[in-house]
Coordinates of all heavy atoms in Angstrom, one line a residue:
I1 N 60.3 -40.5 31.6 CA 59.9 -39.1 31.3 C 60.3 -38.7 29.7 O 59.4 -38.1 29.1 CB 60.4 -38.1 32.3 CG1 59.9 -38.3 33.6 CG2 60.0 -36.7 31.7 CD1 60.6 -37.5 34.8
G2 N 61.5 -39.1 29.3 CA 61.8 -38.9 28.0 C 60.9 -39.5 27.0 O 60.6 -39.0 25.9
Q3 N 60.4 -40.7 27.3 CA 59.4 -41.4 26.4 C 58.1 -40.7 26.4 O 57.4 -40.6 25.4 CB 59.2 -42.9 26.8 CG 58.2 -43.7 26.0 CD 58.9 -43.8 24.5 OE1 60.1 -44.2 24.4 NE2 58.2 -43.5 23.4
G4 N 57.7 -40.0 27.6 CA 56.5 -39.4 27.7 C 56.6 -38.1 26.8 O 55.6 -37.7 26.2
L5 N 57.8 -37.5 26.9 CA 57.9 -36.2 26.1 C 57.8 -36.5 24.6 O 57.2 -35.9 23.8 CB 59.1 -35.7 26.3 CG 59.3 -34.8 27.6 CD1 60.8 -34.5 28.0 CD2 58.6 -33.6 27.5
K6 N 58.4 -37.7 24.1 CA 58.6 -38.1 22.8 C 57.2 -38.4 22.3 O 56.8 -38.0 21.2 CB 59.3 -39.3 22.6 CG 59.7 -39.8 21.2 CD 60.7 -40.9 21.3 CE 61.0 -41.3 19.8 NZ 61.9 -42.6 19.7
D7 N 56.4 -39.1 23.1 CA 54.9 -39.5 22.7 C 54.2 -38.3 22.7 O 53.4 -38.1 21.7 CB 54.4 -40.4 23.7 CG 55.0 -41.7 23.7 OD1 55.7 -42.1 22.7 OD2 54.8 -42.6 24.6
A8 N 54.3 -37.3 23.5 CA 53.5 -36.0 23.6 C 53.8 -35.2 22.3 O 52.9 -34.7 21.7 CB 53.7 -35.3 24.8
F9 N 55.1 -35.1 21.9 CA 55.5 -34.3 20.8 C 54.9 -34.9 19.5 O 54.4 -34.2 18.6 CB 57.0 -34.3 20.7 CG 57.7 -33.6 21.9 CD1 59.1 -33.5 22.1 CD2 56.9 -32.7 22.7 CE1 59.8 -32.9 23.1 CE2 57.6 -31.9 23.7 CZ 59.0 -32.0 23.9
R10 N 55.0 -36.3 19.4 CA 54.4 -36.9 18.2 C 53.0 -36.7 18.2 O 52.5 -36.4 17.0 CB 54.8 -38.4 18.3 CG 54.5 -39.2 17.0 CD 54.7 -40.7 17.0 NE 56.1 -41.0 17.3 CZ 56.4 -41.7 18.5 NH1 55.4 -42.1 19.3 NH2 57.6 -42.0 18.7
G11 N 52.3 -36.8 19.3 CA 50.9 -36.6 19.2 C 50.4 -35.2 18.8 O 49.4 -35.1 18.0
I12 N 51.1 -34.3 19.3 CA 50.9 -32.9 19.0 C 51.1 -32.6 17.4 O 50.3 -31.9 16.7 CB 51.6 -31.9 19.8 CG1 51.1 -32.0 21.2 CG2 51.5 -30.5 19.2 CD1 51.9 -31.2 22.1
E13 N 52.2 -33.2 16.9 CA 52.5 -33.0 15.5 C 51.5 -33.6 14.7 O 51.1 -33.0 13.6 CB 54.0 -33.5 15.2 CG 55.1 -32.6 15.8 CD 56.4 -33.2 15.5 OE1 56.5 -34.1 14.8 OE2 57.5 -32.7 16.0
L14 N 51.0 -34.9 15.0 CA 50.0 -35.6 14.1 C 48.8 -34.8 14.2 O 48.0 -34.8 13.2 CB 49.8 -37.0 14.8 CG 51.1 -37.9 14.5 CD1 50.7 -39.2 15.3 CD2 51.1 -38.3 12.9
A15 N 48.4 -34.1 15.3 CA 47.1 -33.4 15.3 C 47.1 -32.1 14.7 O 46.1 -31.5 14.5 CB 46.7 -33.2 16.9
N16 N 48.3 -31.6 14.3 CA 48.5 -30.2 13.9 C 49.4 -30.4 12.6 O 50.7 -30.2 12.8 CB 49.0 -29.2 14.9 CG 48.2 -29.1 16.1 OD1 47.3 -28.3 16.1 ND2 48.5 -29.9 17.1
P17 N 49.0 -30.7 11.4 CA 49.9 -30.8 10.3 C 50.9 -29.7 10.0 O 52.0 -29.9 9.6 CB 49.0 -30.9 9.2 CG 47.7 -31.5 9.8 CD 47.6 -30.9 11.0
K18 N 50.6 -28.5 10.4 CA 51.4 -27.4 10.3 C 52.7 -27.4 11.2 O 53.6 -26.7 11.0 CB 50.7 -26.0 10.5 CG 50.3 -25.8 11.8 CD 49.4 -24.5 12.0 CE 48.9 -24.4 13.4 NZ 47.9 -23.1 13.4
L19 N 52.6 -28.2 12.2 CA 53.7 -28.4 13.2 C 54.4 -29.8 12.9 O 55.4 -30.0 13.6 CB 53.1 -28.6 14.7 CG 52.4 -27.3 15.2 CD1 51.9 -27.5 16.6 CD2 53.1 -26.0 15.0
H20 N 54.4 -30.2 11.8 CA 55.1 -31.5 11.5 C 56.6 -31.3 11.7 O 57.1 -30.4 11.0 CB 54.8 -32.0 10.0 CG 55.6 -33.1 9.6 ND1 55.4 -34.4 10.1 CD2 56.6 -33.3 8.8 CE1 56.2 -35.2 9.6 NE2 57.0 -34.6 8.8
G21 N 57.3 -32.1 12.5 CA 58.7 -32.1 12.6 C 59.1 -31.0 13.6 O 60.4 -30.8 13.8
I22 N 58.2 -30.2 14.1 CA 58.6 -28.9 14.9 C 59.4 -29.2 16.1 O 60.2 -28.3 16.5 CB 57.5 -28.0 15.1 CG1 58.0 -26.5 15.3 CG2 56.6 -28.6 16.3 CD1 56.9 -25.5 15.3
F23 N 59.2 -30.4 16.7 CA 60.0 -30.7 17.9 C 61.4 -31.2 17.6 O 62.0 -31.7 18.7 CB 59.1 -31.7 18.8 CG 57.9 -30.9 19.5 CD1 56.6 -31.2 18.9 CD2 58.1 -30.0 20.5 CE1 55.5 -30.5 19.5 CE2 56.9 -29.5 21.1 CZ 55.6 -29.7 20.5
G24 N 61.6 -31.5 16.4 CA 63.1 -31.9 16.1 C 63.1 -33.4 16.4 O 62.1 -34.3 16.4
D25 N 64.4 -33.9 16.6 CA 64.7 -35.3 16.6 C 65.6 -35.7 17.8 O 66.4 -36.6 17.6 CB 65.3 -35.8 15.3 CG 66.4 -35.2 14.9 OD1 66.9 -34.2 15.5 OD2 67.3 -35.8 14.1
A26 N 65.5 -35.0 18.8 CA 66.4 -35.1 20.0 C 66.2 -36.6 20.5 O 65.1 -37.2 20.5 CB 66.1 -34.1 21.1
S27 N 67.3 -37.0 21.1 CA 67.1 -38.5 21.7 C 66.6 -38.4 23.1 O 67.4 -38.6 24.1 CB 68.6 -39.1 21.6 OG 69.6 -38.2 22.3
W28 N 65.4 -38.1 23.2 CA 64.7 -38.0 24.7 C 64.8 -39.3 25.5 O 64.7 -39.2 26.7 CB 63.3 -37.6 24.5 CG 63.2 -36.2 23.8 CD1 62.7 -35.9 22.6 CD2 63.4 -35.0 24.4 NE1 62.9 -34.6 22.3 CE2 63.2 -33.9 23.5 CE3 63.9 -34.6 25.7 CZ2 63.4 -32.6 23.7 CZ3 64.1 -33.2 26.0 CH2 63.8 -32.2 25.1
T29 N 64.9 -40.4 24.8 CA 64.8 -41.7 25.4 C 66.2 -42.3 25.9 O 66.3 -43.3 26.4 CB 64.1 -42.8 24.7 OG1 64.7 -42.8 23.4 CG2 62.6 -42.5 24.5
N30 N 67.3 -41.5 25.5 CA 68.6 -41.9 25.9 C 68.8 -41.5 27.4 O 69.1 -40.4 27.8 CB 69.6 -41.1 25.0 CG 71.0 -41.6 25.3 OD1 71.3 -42.2 26.3 ND2 71.9 -41.3 24.4

């Protein structure tokens, strides 16, 4: 699930330049 969150966050940021980096850098896959 952590990887799923990470992938979703990255996909949304790439699709919305104004949201770049907005989900932070938490270690979701740990």
Side-chain angles (χ1 to χ4, degrees):
I1 297 171
Q3 186 64 52
L5 283 168
K6 189 175 179 180
D7 292 343
F9 295 165
R10 189 187 300 116
I12 292 170
E13 288 182 7
L14 287 171
N16 302 271
K18 64 183 176 182
L19 300 186
H20 175 71
I22 201 166
F23 289 102
D25 63 345
S27 53
W28 295 104
T29 55
N30 182 341

